[in-house]
Amino acid sequence: MSYPQYPSQQPYPSQHQAWQGEPPLWAPYYGAPFPAAVKRFFKKYATFSGRASRSEYWWWALVSIIVSFVLNIAISVGTAASSSSGLSSSPQLGPGATFGMILLVIWGLATIVPSIALTVRRLHDSNKSGWMALLGLIPFAGPIILLVFALLGPDPAGQRFDQPTGY
């Protein structure tokens, strides 16, 4: 069940009604269930404006980690199955490992833009600039800083990033 984040503060006076069910795509979905979070991820494929709730962000992070883990296991199994038993030989990639690598590359390319967009929207929800996503490029400390920012709760001032649209 989803409750309005800030019931006493309405960002847009003309919209005093509470949403029935899922909020519009321009608004964050606080307490989003798993299927709704994944669906919104793909619907907002390259949308860098607006905000994303913690549940939207972390449900997608879970999906991404599980899919990557499964594909990496498929690559490992394909590599182990085609290895020879010689002491000086290195593992050879078999057809299963090659197929797994192709799938992993396709998965990575298909989800990199929406993942960055989701990170930017998550930063907006905590009232941070989306450009702070570039902190992830700093070795070691950058991803840790982004992790901390992704864990932060919503900030009412982050409503400045909302842009209501008709979709």
Side-chain angles (χ1 to χ4, degrees):
M1 184 170 204
S2 177
Y3 297 101
Q5 179 185 4
Y6 307 107
S8 63
Q9 298 177 358
Q10 294 293 331
Y12 306 100
S14 64
Q15 298 176 351
H16 284 294
Q17 78 278 4
W19 296 300
Q20 298 300 321
E22 188 173 323
L25 283 176
W26 61 264
Y29 190 173
Y30 295 100
F34 174 76
V38 173
K39 182 175 75 170
R40 288 172 71 91
F41 173 81
F42 286 109
K43 281 187 173 183
K44 297 167 90 171
Y45 192 85
T47 304
F48 289 83
S49 62
R51 299 181 294 154
S53 67
R54 282 189 285 193
S55 57
E56 288 178 82
Y57 183 84
W58 289 110
W59 277 125
W60 176 252
L62 179 66
V63 167
S64 182
I65 289 168
I66 289 173
V67 170
S68 297
F69 185 72
V70 167
L71 290 174
N72 279 308
I73 287 176
I75 292 169
S76 297
V77 168
T79 302
S82 64
S83 295
S84 60
S85 60
L87 292 174
S88 63
S89 66
S90 62
Q92 300 294 320
L93 293 179
T98 304
F99 183 68
M101 285 184 151
I102 291 170
L103 286 179
L104 189 62
V105 167
I106 290 171
W107 171 257
L109 290 175
T111 59
I112 191 164
V113 170
S115 294
I116 294 169
L118 181 64
T119 301
V120 167
R121 291 193 312 268
R122 179 69 206 120
L123 288 168
H124 286 171
D125 192 44
S126 59
N127 196 30
K128 307 268 184 288
S129 170
W131 289 102
M132 293 187 97
L134 294 175
L135 290 172
L137 298 175
I138 299 171
F140 306 111
I144 294 170
I145 293 169
L146 281 180
L147 173 68
V148 170
F149 285 161
L151 291 171
L152 291 176
D155 185 346
Q159 292 176 349
R160 67 186 172 112
F161 294 105
D162 286 343
Q163 297 175 357
T165 59
Y167 67 87

